[in-house]
Amino acid sequence: CCCLLLFVQLLLLFGQLLLLLLLSFLLINFSFSSTIISIMAGQPINNAVAELVEGMGTISWWGISPAVDILQQIKKQSRSSVNSDSGRIDILLCGCGDIRHLLRTLAVFRTNHLQHDGSTPELHFWIVEQNMEQIARHILFLSLALEPKQKLGLEEKVHLFLELYGNAHIRARTAEYLSEKSKKLIDLVTDPDTLKEKFKGLDISPLKYRERDDIQSALEFWKSKKGNFNMEELWEYRNRIYLKQRYDSRINVADWDYQFKLEQKIIHLKQYTKWRLTGMAFDLREASYDIPNRTLASCRIFKEKSSSVEKRGYWGDIILSPYITFGVESEEKSLFTVQNKQHIKTAVDVSQYNLTSYLHQIITQTPYTVAVDLSLNPGAVQEIVEEVEEDEEQKDNFVEAIDGLFVHMLPLSAMTDMNKKALYKERFDAAFFSHSMAQHITPDTTVAFKKNATLLIESAKFVLDLKKEHKEAYMNKITEIAKLASATPVGNPNPNEDNFFTFIFP
């Protein structure tokens, strides 16, 4: 009996050591916040941590919080003027995974903000991501958002955006658009003169040559129709790894997560379940979605024997969904009308409305005033009627000319260079840090922020597998990190209600 007991104890110890090794591997390979992992790891050793990060994936193709107007947050604190005395506003977006904050901020900026003399200040976005495939997606979506309306109508633009943004498979027409657009973007990222001529607001000069090569490599993969990328198999593989013995009950697992973990019921059960099973979030047209979405491909390093092997696959989110960023909140409150205890509209409708509103405001500089038709069935697509002026000169442009907009792509090393380079000294009026990049807020980064600058850090509100005590522990850890960087908390933050936590630099 004593020998058997000793054997069992050794077996348990061996299992714990294996799990610790796995967690170490996840910390290296996964973009999911090490802050959240460390909080979870403080619990009794079990498979919850590995399951959580396996579900979140190694790369964020979309954020885990709704789009926010950064300028409104600056103004709300009443400590920093939106109309900067220098004639420019600088915003740092760190690890956001997409350009949702840029789009919403730019939309409001284009319709509301003028200097006292009637001129528009310059708006500079500085973007940092952990992977160059994410930067490539940012460039793609920015160029799509700014596509001249003479080339691409607003409704088609929104559909293309959402399709490429959150679908595992896309239409043949969308695949053709992606291939043609990638060819043009390759010319831009490989030729500084062409970039300056056709997309003067985009700046990739801070990136190292290797990083630009990585962007080009991603674009080349998108352009090509060669190379195996079977999203159906890849999605199934990720779910088998995540669910393990529960895979055969995956429909019930998705239903359980929806009923007992997901609080945003504007996300419809059928849509959420379909996305969990197939990776299809926005099938907006009566058409075949049968071509793999190559923009969701990324590389991940695996240990094999004595060497490391890089494998291309789908390593993104498979549990939260791309609905959170554009589809769960809106200034148009009628979208959330409830009848018979059910939402009339869905997260797909909200996503369409929000994105349509942002892109309309950016291009036209006028408010989006289309009323919501509440007679439509959930998931139905409302036709967008728009007038397009004939402008041959604008039709030949690669993107719409947006005066005062500048987007700077930064390398990840920028986060450790903030206190070393004069470029970053007292540069930023505000910053948004995702959950996966919060650990980069250090005393050394403080020098990069202007007096009374606003700091926003993403909360863990929408992470399904975190309990309330985990979310509170995460908030406390974030507060500790911010205070060490001399930032002061604002208000009384609530980890279960707030999309982000706000701090002010001295």
Side-chain angles (χ1 to χ4, degrees):
C1 292
C2 293
C3 292
L4 180 61
L5 181 60
L6 180 61
F7 175 75
V8 171
Q9 290 176 339
L10 288 173
L11 191 62
L12 289 173
L13 180 61
F14 180 69
Q16 291 178 348
L17 289 174
L18 283 179
L19 185 57
L20 287 173
L21 288 173
L22 175 62
L23 292 179
S24 299
F25 175 79
L26 292 173
L27 284 170
I28 295 171
N29 285 276
F30 283 75
S31 64
F32 190 62
S33 175
S34 60
T35 306
I36 294 180
I37 292 176
S38 65
I39 291 168
M40 289 288 287
Q43 307 301 310
I45 293 179
N46 52 49
N47 292 324
V49 185
E51 184 176 295
L52 176 65
V53 292
E54 183 62 55
M56 292 292 294
T58 65
I59 187 169
S60 298
W61 293 125
W62 42 78
I64 64 166
S65 60
V68 59
D69 175 10
I70 306 294
L71 297 181
Q72 182 186 42
Q73 298 305 314
I74 297 175
K75 188 176 181 179
K76 186 183 292 186
Q77 308 314 319
S78 300
R79 301 193 186 193
S80 180
S81 174
V82 172
N83 297 324
S84 174
D85 294 334
S86 64
R88 61 181 285 169
I89 303 164
D90 290 86
I91 298 172
L92 175 64
L93 301 176
C94 197
C96 299
D98 55 31
I99 60 169
R100 67 192 187 282
H101 302 315
L102 185 157
L103 292 178
R104 184 172 181 183
T105 302
L106 181 60
V108 177
F109 176 80
R110 289 276 288 170
T111 53
N112 291 349
H113 297 297
L114 294 174
Q115 294 282 74
H116 296 300
D117 61 2
S119 63
T120 303
E122 291 182 355
L123 185 58
H124 291 254
F125 291 96
W126 303 75
I127 299 178
V128 181
E129 295 289 357
Q130 297 192 31
N131 299 275
M132 287 302 106
E133 292 99 338
Q134 292 169 300
I135 295 293
R137 285 241 305 178
H138 294 351
I139 295 173
L140 168 67
F141 286 122
L142 184 60
S143 65
L144 172 56
L146 301 182
E147 189 100 45
K149 56 187 176 183
Q150 290 78 11
K151 284 185 178 181
L152 196 62
L154 182 58
E155 183 175 26
E156 180 64 14
K157 185 183 292 188
V158 169
H159 287 184
L160 282 172
F161 191 107
L162 291 175
E163 193 174 329
L164 288 166
Y165 181 77
N167 281 2
H169 291 87
I170 57 179
R171 297 172 291 155
R173 179 176 178 178
T174 304
E176 191 62 33
Y177 173 87
L178 176 62
S179 180
E180 291 298 318
K181 176 67 77 173
S182 298
K183 291 178 185 177
K184 296 175 182 178
L185 291 176
I186 289 170
D187 293 336
L188 265 61
V189 300
T190 57
D191 186 347
D193 293 333
T194 302
L195 178 61
K196 188 175 181 180
E197 174 190 351
K198 294 188 175 182
F199 205 163
K200 64 179 182 179
L202 177 64
D203 174 25
I204 63 171
S205 62
L207 298 175
K208 299 178 175 64
Y209 287 112
R210 170 61 187 275
E211 292 165 331
R212 294 183 219 177
D213 289 343
D214 290 342
I215 294 175
Q216 181 184 350
S217 177
L219 294 171
E220 293 280 3
F221 181 71
W222 300 352
K223 181 191 73 173
S224 174
K225 296 179 182 179
K226 300 178 181 179
N228 183 37
F229 187 66
N230 190 324
M231 271 297 291
E232 186 175 354
E233 290 182 0
L234 292 168
W235 193 268
E236 179 184 340
Y237 169 77
R238 286 292 313 287
N239 274 276
R240 284 187 180 277
I241 296 298
Y242 171 65
L243 295 172
K244 300 180 180 62
Q245 69 272 18
R246 297 181 298 160
Y247 180 77
D248 291 337
S249 304
R250 56 194 179 279
I251 297 177
N252 293 334
V253 172
D255 183 80
W256 175 275
D257 286 348
Y258 180 87
Q259 299 293 348
F260 297 102
K261 296 180 181 179
L262 185 67
E263 297 181 4
Q264 294 70 37
K265 299 308 181 185
I266 189 70
I267 301 176
H268 197 279
L269 173 60
K270 289 184 179 180
Q271 292 171 342
Y272 178 73
T273 303
K274 182 176 182 178
W275 176 79
R276 284 284 295 262
L277 299 179
T278 67
M280 294 297 295
F282 302 104
D283 45 351
L284 304 172
R285 298 290 183 100
E286 293 293 333
S288 297
Y289 291 79
D290 53 6
I291 299 177
N293 183 356
R294 288 178 168 244
T295 72
L296 295 178
S298 63
C299 293
R300 175 178 165 188
I301 298 175
F302 287 85
K303 292 285 186 180
E304 291 190 359
K305 295 182 180 179
S306 59
S307 62
S308 298
V309 179
E310 190 175 60
K311 294 185 179 181
R312 175 180 277 127
Y314 177 75
W315 310 116
D317 168 39
I318 59 170
I319 57 174
L320 298 185
S321 87
Y323 297 125
I324 294 170
T325 51
F326 295 111
V328 299
E329 292 185 357
S330 178
E331 293 183 359
E332 180 52 63
K333 301 306 178 186
S334 64
L335 288 165
F336 301 91
T337 300
V338 176
Q339 288 184 1
N340 299 323
K341 299 182 179 181
Q342 289 188 339
H343 285 279
I344 295 177
K345 297 297 182 181
T346 71
V348 173
D349 299 312
V350 179
S351 298
Q352 283 185 265
Y353 184 91
N354 282 339
L355 194 56
T356 301
S357 173
Y358 300 159
L359 301 187
H360 171 86
Q361 292 178 76
I362 289 170
I363 299 300
T364 68
Q365 290 188 274
T366 60
Y368 185 68
T369 57
V370 175
V372 175
D373 186 356
L374 295 178
S375 65
L376 293 175
N377 293 324
V381 178
Q382 182 176 359
E383 181 180 0
I384 302 169
V385 180
E386 52 184 332
E387 296 182 2
V388 179
E389 299 178 2
E390 291 295 329
D391 187 339
E392 292 300 322
E393 182 178 348
Q394 184 74 318
K395 189 175 181 179
D396 293 332
N397 290 345
F398 182 72
V399 293
E400 291 270 5
I402 306 296
D403 294 334
L405 172 65
F406 297 91
V407 181
H408 311 270
M409 301 299 181
L410 300 178
L412 182 60
S413 60
M415 300 312 302
T416 56
D417 292 340
M418 292 292 182
N419 65 331
K420 301 174 185 176
K421 295 187 177 181
L423 171 66
Y424 302 123
K425 186 176 181 181
E426 296 183 359
R427 169 63 62 189
F428 304 115
D429 297 276
F432 187 102
F433 279 76
S434 73
H435 66 282
S436 63
M437 298 287 274
Q439 68 271 20
H440 290 286
I441 303 170
T442 67
D444 289 339
T445 61
T446 305
V447 298
F449 292 92
K450 295 178 182 177
K451 182 179 180 181
N452 296 328
T454 301
L455 172 64
L456 310 176
I457 305 178
E458 191 171 51
S459 75
K461 171 184 174 181
F462 296 91
V463 180
L464 298 185
D465 290 330
L466 288 185
K467 298 179 180 179
K468 289 185 177 181
E469 56 266 31
H470 295 145
K471 295 178 182 180
E472 185 172 357
Y474 168 77
M475 180 189 71
N476 294 336
K477 185 65 177 179
I478 288 300
T479 302
E480 179 185 334
I481 290 173
K483 286 182 176 179
L484 288 174
S486 302
T488 304
V490 175
N492 298 307
N494 186 325
N496 299 299
E497 298 293 334
D498 297 340
N499 298 339
F500 53 85
F501 309 122
T502 305
F503 303 86
I504 295 293
F505 282 102

